Amino acid sequence: GGIITQTPKFLIGQEGQKLTLKCQQNFNHDTMYWYRQDSGKGLRLIYYSITENDLQKGDLSEGYDASREKKSSFSLTVTSAQKNEMAVFLCASSISTQDTQYFGPGTRLLVL
Amino acid sequence: QQQVRQSPQSLTVWEGETAILNCSYEDSTFDYFPWYWQFPRESPALLIAIRPVSNKKEDGRFTIFFNKREKKLSLHITDSQPGDSATYFCAASASSGSWQLIFGSGTQLTVMP
């Protein structure tokens, strides 16, 4: 078994602020993902990484940057927070893109 | 463009009834269909998945029925329990080309005791 840790759990930011979310996994999985979940909607892929130092854009990458510093960690940066933005950012990992994805507990973002 | 659609948006059934959740897709190259469930204030987790070598996948009270010709699938939950109350997401991906897992918007299931 393993676990995915996301920090912080809650993030309150100001409009225009640069905000960074962090994710750590101890599954020893190669592939990691960042999804955004808005209330009443499904999950939308922001970025993913198939190995250390790799980065691939998802459908929702505009307005975000990501960094895969090492195999176990994957960071997401909101480059300029939008006023009244409210969403949950979910990190996930899997052995490969064809395997089951395991999700972290999420970071809840609110922009004032 | 919504590539994976789910219906109904919300569903309420009584304990013991069968709940039927529907999913349809557009991309004929999709060949992997996992269902994830998400309980309130928790993260999604894989419930059951099907690859279209078969038209049916069963796991206990949960069964996926798959219709490749109509690009439709459904999740049947028999003998529904209050503990099954959750949001259910249908997802799809293709093993060739863009592998990206595309999620539907979910069906919120409530099972009344």
Side-chain angles (χ1 to χ4, degrees):
Chain A
I3 192 168
I4 296 179
T5 305
Q6 291 187 237
T7 55
K9 287 186 180 179
F10 299 96
L11 184 55
I12 299 177
Q14 301 290 327
E15 183 181 12
Q17 195 176 1
K18 190 174 180 179
L19 303 167
T20 299
L21 293 67
K22 294 188 180 294
C23 176
Q24 297 264 355
Q25 54 95 2
N26 65 0
F27 285 101
N28 200 34
H29 285 164
D30 285 315
T31 309
M32 295 186 74
Y33 315 80
W34 276 106
Y35 287 93
R36 175 180 167 130
Q37 184 174 28
D38 292 276
S39 179
K41 295 186 179 177
L43 284 66
R44 291 181 289 173
L45 183 66
I46 306 172
Y47 268 98
Y48 70 102
S49 166
I50 61 174
T51 189
E52 184 178 338
N53 294 320
D54 174 73
L55 275 181
Q56 307 284 341
K57 291 183 178 181
D59 288 342
L60 206 64
S61 62
E62 190 169 337
Y64 302 94
D65 285 329
S67 174
R68 184 83 183 271
E69 304 90 359
K70 49 187 178 180
K71 187 175 182 179
S72 62
S73 66
F74 194 27
S75 300
L76 179 72
T77 298
V78 180
T79 55
S80 180
Q82 301 298 305
K83 188 175 175 63
N84 297 324
E85 183 174 6
M86 188 165 65
V88 176
F89 291 84
L90 291 165
C91 175
S93 72
S94 63
I95 296 172
S96 76
T97 57
Q98 300 298 313
D99 292 289
T100 301
Q101 295 182 25
Y102 295 87
F103 287 84
T107 292
R108 282 155 178 77
L109 170 68
L110 175 62
V111 181
L112 301 176
Chain B
Q1 182 187 2
Q2 210 172 353
Q3 294 189 54
V4 177
R5 296 177 189 270
Q6 290 187 249
S7 65
Q9 193 172 355
S10 63
L11 176 65
T12 299
V13 299
W14 293 102
E15 183 175 356
E17 291 184 333
T18 296
I20 299 176
L21 289 66
N22 300 303
C23 179
S24 63
Y25 62 98
E26 296 176 6
D27 191 334
S28 57
T29 66
F30 286 157
D31 57 7
Y32 175 59
F33 302 90
W35 285 80
Y36 282 78
W37 55 352
Q38 184 175 27
F39 295 97
R41 294 172 297 284
E42 293 190 15
S43 302
L46 180 68
L47 172 62
I48 188 172
I50 191 169
R51 295 188 188 272
V53 290
S54 146
N55 293 331
K56 180 180 173 182
K57 177 74 176 289
E58 199 168 348
D59 185 356
R61 297 183 295 107
F62 300 89
T63 303
I64 300 174
F65 292 93
F66 179 72
N67 185 324
K68 186 175 182 177
R69 184 179 60 84
E70 294 187 10
K71 297 183 187 173
K72 291 182 178 179
L73 53 162
S74 60
L75 176 67
H76 291 224
I77 307 173
T78 57
D79 188 24
S80 296
Q81 302 296 309
D84 297 333
S85 298
T87 299
Y88 291 76
F89 293 100
C90 173
S93 70
S95 56
S96 61
S98 173
W99 67 270
Q100 184 174 323
L101 197 57
I102 307 296
F103 285 82
S105 56
T107 292
Q108 188 171 355
L109 174 67
T110 302
V111 182
M112 303 293 289

